[in-house]
Amino acid sequence: MAADSGRTHKSQVRAQARAQAQVLREQQEQAERRRKITRRALIGGGAVAAAGAVAGLVYWDNSTTGTSVPSQAAADASLTFGKGFLPGTTNDGAKVLDVYFDYSCSHCASFDVLHEEEVRTLVEEGVVTLALHPCKILGQPWTDIALNTLGVVLEHEPDKAYAYHNAVFELYLDAAQKKSGENLNLAGLKKAAEGVGISGKTVAGFDNAVSKNRFEAWIEAGTKTFADKGFTGTPVVAYDGKVLELAAVASPTGLTDQIRSADGAATPGAVAP
């Protein structure tokens, strides 16, 4: 009975995520119309925009790695996942699906819950390598709390890190939909961790990591990466270096459809910095 209840709850959360994705799609379409009007006005006024790229950035010194930065994190603070979903792995020959997110972002939570099963399939079938890019752009303490606990999981039970990542977003989306922060605390995160099979010994390390903000260097590095790329809002999703329009992937198979389209016949899109 408990398993049935859990499946029913998850189905309800996903249904709500689909509804929120539709709202996001409509908002994005309205924003795009506003951008086109503004662009025409700027061009008419003779404004010129210049873009620059920065290469070879170093986000932290090697002396800060270890307890403050997960060993699996790349230099830009990202975590890659190949078949088996072990952090730090890749799928040979596969293009990269980049997801930039903030744990305090409800749209990020909706995106993750909506596409969780689809992303798992794409990675396990070797279609993509997933790269998660954590950042803190909303300035909320919840992001620090969640990322510090993820850091502990990466240290002790990395094979459960992606499942925990999904569970954190499910917890946040549920709270956002209920308009209640009752479970947005360490107790809620511990329960979410235990729900995906993380041991009590690992969970016991959450308190110390959060109180000391042990993974601050990692959080700051991810936030710097996001800012250096010129992004302004989360989530940002890119495939093979091209940013995808969220409106185009706002369905449970939206990512798969876009990937097939891109690989079959290149579709014009914004290029990720």
Side-chain angles (χ1 to χ4, degrees), residues 59-60 69 74-77 134 216-226:
Y59 297 101
W60 62 72
V69 177
D76 63 354
E216 181 180 14
W218 179 40
I219 298 168
E220 290 180 347
T223 304
K224 179 172 174 53
T225 295
F226 186 86

Side-chain angles (χ1 to χ4, degrees), residues 186-252:
L186 265 177
L189 288 169
K190 289 176 180 180
K191 185 176 180 180
E194 291 165 354
V196 295
I198 295 171
S199 70
K201 183 177 181 180
T202 296
V203 170
F206 284 8
D207 296 84
N208 180 269
V210 170
S211 66
K212 292 185 177 180
N213 199 14
R214 282 185 52 216
F215 294 91
E216 181 180 14
W218 179 40
I219 298 168
E220 290 180 347
T223 304
K224 179 172 174 53
T225 295
F226 186 86
D228 286 344
K229 287 184 174 291
F231 298 142
T232 56
T234 51
V236 174
V237 183
Y239 174 64
D240 193 24
K242 293 184 178 180
V243 174
L244 302 179
E245 290 290 338
L246 295 179
V249 297
S251 73

Side-chain angles (χ1 to χ4, degrees), residues 12 41 47 52 100 138 142 157 167 185 192 194 204 255 265:
Q12 291 172 340
Y100 296 80
L138 297 175
W142 175 252
E157 298 185 56
N185 48 43
E194 291 165 354
L255 290 171

Side-chain angles (χ1 to χ4, degrees), residues 149-215:
T149 61
L150 177 60
V152 174
V153 175
L154 286 163
E155 275 187 328
H156 300 289
E157 298 185 56
D159 59 314
K160 298 182 177 70
Y162 186 66
Y164 180 61
H165 164 78
N166 295 145
V168 173
F169 266 140
E170 187 175 333
L171 176 69
Y172 189 82
L173 184 60
D174 186 58
Q177 291 168 346
K178 292 178 178 176
K179 298 182 179 179
S180 169
E182 180 181 356
N183 294 319
L184 295 184
N185 48 43
L186 265 177
L189 288 169
K190 289 176 180 180
K191 185 176 180 180
E194 291 165 354
V196 295
I198 295 171
S199 70
K201 183 177 181 180
T202 296
V203 170
F206 284 8
D207 296 84
N208 180 269
V210 170
S211 66
K212 292 185 177 180
N213 199 14
R214 282 185 52 216
F215 294 91

